[in-house]
Amino acid sequence: MSKCEQCIIRQFNSLKALHKEDLVRLSGCKTTKTIKKGEVIFEEGENVNGVYCIKDGVCKLSKLSTNGKDQIVKLVTKGDLLGQRSLISDDTTNLSAIAVNDMEVCFIPKSEIVHDLKNNVNFSMDMLKEMADDLKLADNVIVDMAQKSVKQRLAETLLYLQDNFGEDDEGLLNIVLSREDYANIVGTATESAIRILSQFKKDGLISTKGKHVKIENINALKRME
Amino acid sequence: MSKCEQCIIRQFNSLKALHKEDLVRLSGCKTTKTIKKGEVIFEEGENVNGVYCIKDGVCKLSKLSTNGKDQIVKLVTKGDLLGQRSLISDDTTNLSAIAVNDMEVCFIPKSEIVHDLKNNVNFSMDMLKEMADDLKLADNVIVDMAQKSVKQRLAETLLYLQDNFGEDDEGLLNIVLSREDYANIVGTATESAIRILSQFKKDGLISTKGKHVKIENINALKRME
DNA sequence: TAAAAAATATGATAATTGTCAGCTATTAAT
DNA sequence: ATTAATAGCTGACAATTATCATATTTTTTA
């Protein structure tokens, strides 16, 4: 069993504010899980009762709309925490979390996190800061959803993926999403997402290799925003 | 000059977690302002350098999209705090705040709030909780923007206004917005908002008296969601 | 490996929403 | 009180996006 105090992942999230003795304590009660692509980590309305620290992989946070379609609100990845929002609000989770690829995560029980929030100002302040940053990002998403066309949102999504996940040596995006996922991120019908991606391909903005996407003309995509 | 420790407004926000001596300190450095309808409290990109506690009135938080249109992200009202997000992120504000009607607010300098955040766990935890709740609401707005029609969003907005601002003895909503404001809340063209409100009127879902709106058939509005 | 299932792709069409123009009513300014 | 400015309203039309139908390709399962 790996030890939190030796884990470098914590440097990327609020857990970095914890002291060595706290990390040792967390190590003692955390559980490490492997999650297969497509597996549900938790579902909207559930009690999560803790926080996941993502050691590897990516998952999508989505919410079912009354029209029966899933909206992906956020992609959460290596280094991020998962489940803080509902833990802090002492609420069931408002989002479902589903693995986009194989993941490795550590689950830390709620009581431990609450203990540290109450006893370590640096930790709670860092968590507060993360939350404030998330809120700013969410505001930006709201504005994009409300004011931009599907084409613009899809272009932005591609740039976002490039920025956040990078590309491999062939230039292919380091994250693979289904067309349905793309549609659920930009909030459109799957057919519309497919159509626009095809158009982008025709126009030389992107190319594809199987399900992998490569950005060919980043400036043209940026100009669409 | 009124005193924070005697002000009942603080019961409605995180300031309730402060102790009497802290409130006395805040009283000494806060400034009370009257803001006229339409006045700008702060603008996107500015340094706010503190938090506003809203004693009376309503303001809209909006963001300018690249297409030149304003998107109203949130309405902030009596009892709410304003400016926490950017204070905590130590960032310029991402939103503009404009008074929807005449307001009375108290401005508390950043240094004071930061002092209390670091020294009063109850205060920082409450702030964290507020932020988490805001994030949940923002997620809901994202899903609505992405998945619902303009008509559905407008119906929801009317119900939201009814819930949050109530109605007077004639049944008129206790908040008056321009058609442009309605459009900027739901993220549509002003003409579209006008058209749909007219349709709602024809269908007997609402009635209007000048700029005041009255909800006539709440169930029909709810059924649209 | 063959069959079944799922994902991707594309066309046709309908529904929704945006844009532009012009007009009326209301509010503000002189 | 009159004029100017703003807000509200409506029609016509264009653009965007959703829906439904149907191939085709890819992936999964037996």
Side-chain angles (χ1 to χ4, degrees), chain A residues 44-109:
Chain A
E44 205 180 328
E46 275 181 24
N47 270 307
V48 178
N49 281 320
V51 157
Y52 293 85
C53 178
I54 302 183
K55 290 174 76 175
D56 202 22
V58 180
C59 77
K60 53 186 178 185
L61 295 184
S62 67
K63 189 170 160 62
L64 193 63
S65 178
T66 44
N67 68 0
K69 282 187 190 166
D70 268 316
Q71 177 63 34
I72 297 177
V73 171
K74 199 170 189 264
L75 292 175
V76 174
T77 183
K78 187 173 165 174
D80 292 337
L81 292 180
L82 182 61
Q84 330 85 294
R85 211 284 312 158
S86 59
L87 184 145
I88 289 161
S89 289
D90 198 21
D91 192 10
T92 56
T93 176
N94 59 324
L95 302 170
S96 299
I98 297 175
V100 166
N101 45 40
D102 291 350
M103 300 180 74
E104 208 177 328
V105 302
C106 291
F107 178 79
I108 304 166

Side-chain angles (χ1 to χ4, degrees), chain A residues 199-222:
Chain A
Q199 189 60 47
F200 283 177
K201 234 168 25 176
K202 262 186 204 153
D203 299 345
L205 305 186
I206 62 170
S207 63
T208 57
K209 191 173 181 179
K211 288 171 83 94
H212 291 259
V213 174
K214 179 177 177 180
I215 292 180
E216 296 284 355
N217 189 340
I218 192 169
N219 291 320
L221 284 174
K222 282 182 182 168

Side-chain angles (χ1 to χ4, degrees), chain A residues 139-153:
Chain A
D139 286 341
N140 288 336
V141 174
I142 290 172
V143 176
D144 285 353
M145 287 295 176
Q147 300 284 355
K148 293 189 176 171
S149 69
V150 172
K151 198 183 279 189
Q152 287 175 310
R153 269 139 56 196

Side-chain angles (χ1 to χ4, degrees), chain A residues 1-162:
Chain A
M1 175 77 65
S2 60
K3 295 176 182 174
C4 294
E5 63 273 25
Q6 286 167 6
C7 178
I8 53 160
I9 285 295
R10 73 166 199 281
Q11 295 304 329
F12 298 103
N13 60 48
S14 299
L15 297 175
K16 64 175 174 293
L18 296 187
H19 303 118
K20 186 157 186 185
E21 62 266 29
D22 296 318
L23 291 167
V24 171
R25 183 172 44 80
L26 287 194
S27 263
C29 57
K30 78 159 204 287
T31 51
T32 302
K33 293 183 191 179
T34 315
I35 297 161
K36 287 252 172 305
K37 176 181 171 176
E39 228 176 283
V40 175
I41 305 172
F42 53 74
E43 217 152 356
E44 205 180 328
E46 275 181 24
N47 270 307
V48 178
N49 281 320
V51 157
Y52 293 85
C53 178
I54 302 183
K55 290 174 76 175
D56 202 22
V58 180
C59 77
K60 53 186 178 185
L61 295 184
S62 67
K63 189 170 160 62
L64 193 63
S65 178
T66 44
N67 68 0
K69 282 187 190 166
D70 268 316
Q71 177 63 34
I72 297 177
V73 171
K74 199 170 189 264
L75 292 175
V76 174
T77 183
K78 187 173 165 174
D80 292 337
L81 292 180
L82 182 61
Q84 330 85 294
R85 211 284 312 158
S86 59
L87 184 145
I88 289 161
S89 289
D90 198 21
D91 192 10
T92 56
T93 176
N94 59 324
L95 302 170
S96 299
I98 297 175
V100 166
N101 45 40
D102 291 350
M103 300 180 74
E104 208 177 328
V105 302
C106 291
F107 178 79
I108 304 166
K110 182 169 179 169
S111 56
E112 301 305 313
I113 297 292
V114 169
H115 174 273
D116 288 315
L117 280 174
K118 287 191 177 157
N119 292 283
N120 184 332
V121 184
N122 289 332
F123 181 55
S124 60
M125 282 300 283
D126 199 279
M127 196 74 107
L128 189 52
K129 208 163 185 162
E130 293 282 334
M131 202 76 65
D133 291 342
D134 275 356
L135 193 53
K136 180 178 178 176
L137 289 176
D139 286 341
N140 288 336
V141 174
I142 290 172
V143 176
D144 285 353
M145 287 295 176
Q147 300 284 355
K148 293 189 176 171
S149 69
V150 172
K151 198 183 279 189
Q152 287 175 310
R153 269 139 56 196
L154 196 43
E156 274 197 1
T157 299
L158 290 166
L159 294 169
Y160 166 85
L161 295 176
Q162 166 108 322

